[in-house]
Amino acid sequence: IGHDGVTMGQNAYLRILPEGGIALALLTNGGDGRALYHRVFGTVFRELAHIVPPLPPEPQPGLVVDAKRYVGRYAKRSATVLVDERDGGLAVTIQQNDAAAKALLGDQGPFALRPVRADLMVYDVPGLAQRQMLHFLDFDAAGVPQAVHQGSRRHNRTDA
């Protein structure tokens, strides 16, 4: 059982394994919280419950996606995810819409997207050990995603 939370500059992780009598929580407010989470939780669950957490997904070399289907603007109140064609592939830029978030985090990207499968792409952010994920959701009849999941939040397509 688990739940994660993310807000400006803070990450929270909770995992409970009732049958193993294990409850583990981690709260971070700086640095690479996701990498710390994987290191700490991976060690604890391997040693105490013999559970090996799954590795982050790997991009699939040679997997070709129809870039035009993914290109677009996906937004929520505090942030906008822009997916565009760049350098023969796809790239993502995350823009902060909230003044406080913009001051703290700034806009990020563009980062090259690499497909894992049709609904999941990954990208690397300098300074973060863990690859980031961009999940495409709610594909319409033409195969165009109507939302993305990034940073623990859903962003709906706003350019359709």
Side-chain angles (χ1 to χ4, degrees), residues 9-23:
Q10 300 174 17
N11 297 314
Y13 306 92
L14 172 67
R15 296 293 181 273
I16 302 168
L17 183 64
E19 62 272 16
I22 300 170

Side-chain angles (χ1 to χ4, degrees), residues 15-33:
R15 296 293 181 273
I16 302 168
L17 183 64
E19 62 272 16
I22 300 170
L24 192 58
L26 174 66
L27 306 174
T28 67
N29 65 352
D32 190 352

Side-chain angles (χ1 to χ4, degrees), residues 46-86:
R46 263 191 309 277
E47 290 183 9
L48 297 181
H50 308 291
I51 294 172
V52 179
L55 295 173
E58 291 289 329
Q60 298 302 306
L63 177 59
V64 178
V65 297
D66 182 358
K68 291 184 183 356
R69 291 182 178 178
Y70 299 88
V71 169
R73 182 177 189 274
Y74 305 84
K76 63 183 179 78
R77 185 175 187 174
S78 62
T80 300
V81 174
L82 300 171
V83 176
D84 65 291
E85 287 187 83
R86 189 178 300 246

Side-chain angles (χ1 to χ4, degrees), residues 54-124:
L55 295 173
E58 291 289 329
Q60 298 302 306
L63 177 59
V64 178
V65 297
D66 182 358
K68 291 184 183 356
R69 291 182 178 178
Y70 299 88
V71 169
R73 182 177 189 274
Y74 305 84
K76 63 183 179 78
R77 185 175 187 174
S78 62
T80 300
V81 174
L82 300 171
V83 176
D84 65 291
E85 287 187 83
R86 189 178 300 246
D87 301 325
L90 288 168
V92 62
T93 301
I94 295 105
Q95 297 176 335
Q96 304 302 323
N97 300 335
D98 176 80
K102 188 174 279 292
L104 181 65
L105 304 172
D107 293 342
Q108 301 168 325
F111 305 113
L113 287 170
R114 295 176 295 157
V116 173
R117 54 183 194 255
D119 67 334
L120 175 62
M121 297 190 196
V122 294
Y123 59 98
D124 295 314

